[in-house]
Amino acid sequence: MKKGALVLSLAAVFACGLLAWGTVENVVVINGYPVITADPAVASDWYDTEAMYNLYSPLVYPAPAGGVRAHLATAWEAVGGDFTHWRFTLRQGVKFHSGYEMTAEDIAWSMTRFITMGKGNSGPLGQVTAEVVDRYTVDFLLDKPSAIFPDTLALFFPVEKNLVLQNIKPDGAYGDMGDYGEDWLATHDAGTGPYMMTNHLPGQRLDAARFVDYFEGWSDEGWGPNEVPIERLVFIMETDYTTLMTLLKNGDLDLEINGGWTLPQLQDIQADPDLRLTSAWAQNVTVWMNTQAPPTDDEHFRKAILYAYDYAGVVGPWEALGNGETGIILPSMPGYVPIEPQPREQDLVKAAAELALSKYAGNLGDVTVTFHFCGGLDFEEDIGLQLQADMAALGVNVEVAGPPWPEYSAECSSPETTPNMTIFLFAPQSSPTHDYYFFSMFHPNGFGWIFEAHWFFEDQEIIDLLDATRAEPDAARRIALYEQLQPLIADHALAFYPYQKPTLFAHQAYIVGPKESISMVGPTENMHLWRINLTLKEEMQ
């Protein structure tokens, strides 16, 4: 399809969405936080991932019961039982947004691009060589055996080779590939997903229109008579939840998919007959401690923080919504092992004893701990303020600050710039989930950045066990390895875990979904699984 024809088709889509219902627009405004890049080889945080699952399609798709299912690939096998050689059979007839058919050439080129660039979610894949077998078959050759390799491809989003090649800048870090199309893909898409990008102002707004030729189709099966596909998506990038509440109440926000509400706000939403709360997946509230920056470079100092924190004081008011104890993995996951402190309560005596063992024991008054949270997330700030009060009782100063997300996330690009403590919400963001919470967060070849802002990779026993989990084909034996890993990781006090919290999406009553709930960031926010009831919307307005 020529560019001019594509623009006309988008205009027609918009017109249909608007004219069919008069003043009621078939458009959903979603708060998606600042999508910094829409390049699937660079995107990595959950806001980017939410956009990826709408604009692109992964090779395999996370399943509600765990694991992955067929998607762009219909089948896969370890050739001859060799976990370093995987063969994937592709779905035929899948169209890119340009109208061209996807083939093995696109898949192999996309994987080569992904691994060569070495950004985003590529780290856990290791070194992968892609080879085209025939038009609909591709081989992946790995540098290390991985029994879980197919599952890790839930975050591999192929792009259209020829379209990206046409938009490469010659000056770049990748030799003959120039910038590999990174600049262009930040504000354009080359995907096969259910929606196609129409505009993107990074960190501000992303617009998309329904892709009518999406390969999974737009069946009405399972939906109500007035529940129709959403024609337009508008992702806004607002981090202040007071502003979001105003937008939600005024009907200017249709769906909020990040769940950063305060407790009073959630209670207000529950009481409003025009609004709904939908529970998605649980999140591990994680506070990393930078092991390369004083004073959190001292293990005893880090352990003092674990015991000083008043868990009950923070968790108590949230318990009715499902908040509670957590650890390196979520308690609902097989193989969960409780970690210190146990029981989950403050122990200032133990905290003082650990401080006395630290190298900073003699000058605690001169020590300052920096605690950063994402600006606008009040509940994260509450955790920092609680820690500030708890550590003050021990004579330690904690500075709490909430820079905006782009600045906050950029800080965590290196151990030198990462604050002493950084708080993040880690919902299952890749498949398999256990691998995400272990390999991706504690292995030198993991995701890095905000996912490993502890910057500790000095325990070879842990690294060897993490490698062993990937080479182990038996699921039960893998779980046993994860159980063995948890106390070893916890012994270094790389993080403390205030609580787990459910993710509650707030939305207008006329927004319906998701059709299926998948415990992973991205798939549940795929708007192919949601619909809009325009009749109800018109009545409410």
Side-chain angles (χ1 to χ4, degrees):
M1 184 186 295
K2 294 182 179 179
K3 184 176 180 181
L6 180 60
V7 171
L8 287 174
S9 68
L10 293 183
V13 167
F14 290 175
C16 289
L18 296 175
L19 295 177
W21 289 87
T23 59
V24 179
E25 294 183 325
N26 188 336
V27 56
V28 171
V29 178
I30 305 165
N31 185 53
Y33 267 30
V35 176
I36 305 302
T37 180
D39 183 342
V42 181
S44 59
D45 69 31
W46 91 15
Y47 317 128
D48 296 340
T49 303
E50 290 168 340
M52 289 302 104
Y53 270 92
N54 283 284
L55 302 174
Y56 291 86
S57 303
L59 198 60
V60 297
Y61 209 86
V68 294
R69 64 191 182 200
H71 200 55
L72 291 182
T74 58
W76 48 89
E77 63 172 338
V79 179
D82 181 0
F83 291 132
T84 65
H85 186 181
W86 287 90
R87 176 163 293 171
F88 285 74
T89 302
L90 304 179
R91 187 180 304 275
Q92 300 182 26
V94 175
K95 290 183 180 180
F96 285 106
H97 296 156
S98 67
Y100 287 100
E101 186 189 18
M102 180 198 76
T103 69
E105 189 69 35
D106 297 291
I107 305 300
W109 190 85
S110 296
M111 178 60 77
T112 300
R113 178 178 186 268
F114 196 30
I115 299 303
T116 301
M117 291 177 69
K119 298 182 178 182
N121 298 313
S122 63
L125 298 186
Q127 292 301 310
V128 182
T129 301
E131 296 180 351
V132 174
V133 178
D134 58 38
R135 185 173 177 82
Y136 300 112
T137 310
V138 62
D139 279 2
F140 296 122
L141 308 177
L142 316 184
D143 61 334
K144 292 181 180 179
S146 176
I148 63 168
F149 179 70
D151 297 64
T152 64
L153 296 179
L155 288 178
F156 169 53
F157 301 93
V159 298
E160 183 182 347
K161 174 184 175 180
N162 289 333
L163 182 58
V164 177
L165 283 174
Q166 292 169 20
N167 291 280
I168 281 177
K169 288 186 175 180
D171 296 328
Y174 307 105
D176 293 343
M177 288 292 109
D179 76 338
Y180 241 136
E182 182 177 353
D183 183 67
W184 186 79
L185 278 171
T187 54
H188 299 78
D189 91 71
T192 59
Y195 288 85
M196 45 191 177
M197 185 195 302
T198 57
N199 186 51
H200 183 208
L201 298 173
Q204 298 180 48
R205 173 173 168 151
L206 190 152
D207 295 65
R210 183 166 71 99
F211 182 44
V212 178
D213 290 332
Y214 177 54
F215 70 91
E216 286 198 310
W218 298 91
S219 170
D220 291 330
E221 184 179 353
W223 297 103
N226 297 317
E227 296 165 1
V228 299
I230 299 161
E231 294 295 343
R232 292 174 54 195
L233 307 179
V234 179
F235 287 89
I236 62 170
M237 314 298 174
E238 179 57 63
T239 60
D240 182 80
Y241 273 80
T242 300
T243 301
L244 287 169
M245 179 60 81
T246 300
L247 293 173
L248 192 68
K249 290 282 190 176
N250 291 344
D252 296 320
L253 175 65
D254 297 299
L255 174 63
E256 204 291 319
I257 57 176
N258 295 299
W261 304 103
T262 64
L263 184 59
Q265 287 171 333
L266 286 172
Q267 293 167 338
D268 190 9
I269 293 168
Q270 286 178 315
D272 192 321
D274 291 336
L275 301 177
R276 301 287 185 270
L277 282 174
T278 295
S279 180
W281 15 255
Q283 305 171 64
N284 233 3
V285 181
T286 301
V287 182
W288 293 126
M289 294 190 270
N290 185 353
T291 61
Q292 304 302 309
T296 48
D297 60 338
D298 186 279
E299 191 171 290
H300 290 292
F301 194 97
R302 300 196 299 272
K303 288 181 177 178
I305 290 172
L306 297 183
Y307 291 112
Y309 193 71
D310 185 1
Y311 296 86
V314 171
V315 175
W318 292 86
E319 285 181 331
L321 291 168
N323 293 27
E325 178 191 308
T326 191
I328 292 169
I329 59 175
L330 294 162
S332 59
M333 295 171 61
Y336 171 75
V337 175
I339 61 173
E340 288 293 315
Q342 292 293 332
R344 210 70 165 178
E345 61 186 28
Q346 185 183 55
D347 191 332
L348 291 177
V349 174
K350 280 190 177 181
E354 290 291 348
L355 279 180
L357 294 173
S358 78
K359 62 185 177 183
Y360 300 101
N363 63 328
L364 291 179
D366 300 326
V367 166
T368 295
V369 177
T370 55
F371 179 105
H372 282 194
F373 66 96
C374 181
L377 294 182
D378 292 345
F379 75 92
E380 289 190 353
E381 183 180 19
D382 289 345
I383 291 171
L385 294 175
Q386 180 66 58
L387 180 67
Q388 185 182 62
D390 296 336
M391 293 302 288
L394 297 170
V396 176
N397 180 45
V398 175
E399 292 183 352
V400 179
W405 173 251
E407 177 186 336
Y408 179 43
S409 63
E411 289 178 336
C412 297
S413 60
S414 72
E416 293 77 21
T417 57
T418 301
N420 291 113
M421 306 185 76
T422 47
I423 181 170
F424 298 99
L425 283 71
F426 293 122
Q429 196 170 325
S430 69
S431 181
T433 305
H434 283 79
D435 189 72
Y436 169 68
Y437 283 112
F438 286 98
F439 192 97
S440 298
M441 293 190 181
F442 297 103
H443 194 282
N445 295 330
F447 282 158
W449 186 43
I450 65 172
F451 301 98
E452 298 185 296
H454 52 79
W455 301 109
F456 180 86
F457 308 109
E458 300 164 17
D459 191 320
Q460 192 59 46
E461 182 181 8
I462 290 175
I463 294 171
D464 290 344
L465 281 170
L466 290 170
D467 285 333
T469 64
R470 292 193 143 200
E472 177 54 66
D474 184 83
R477 286 198 286 266
R478 275 204 307 275
I479 292 295
L481 290 172
Y482 293 133
E483 291 174 343
Q484 185 180 346
L485 273 162
Q486 287 168 78
L488 294 176
I489 294 171
D491 190 53
H492 293 295
L494 307 179
F496 83 89
Y497 303 89
Y499 52 76
Q500 64 159 331
K501 69 186 294 290
T503 304
L504 298 172
F505 294 173
H507 57 92
Q508 305 292 339
Y510 53 77
I511 302 298
V512 185
K515 190 173 184 180
E516 61 179 2
S517 185
I518 298 171
S519 296
M520 180 177 157
V521 174
T524 300
E525 300 90 302
N526 177 349
M527 299 311 291
H528 185 253
L529 298 177
W530 296 72
R531 293 246 165 154
I532 185 169
N533 187 326
L534 293 172
T535 301
L536 181 58
K537 181 177 181 180
E538 192 165 37
E539 291 173 359
M540 289 174 59
Q541 290 184 354

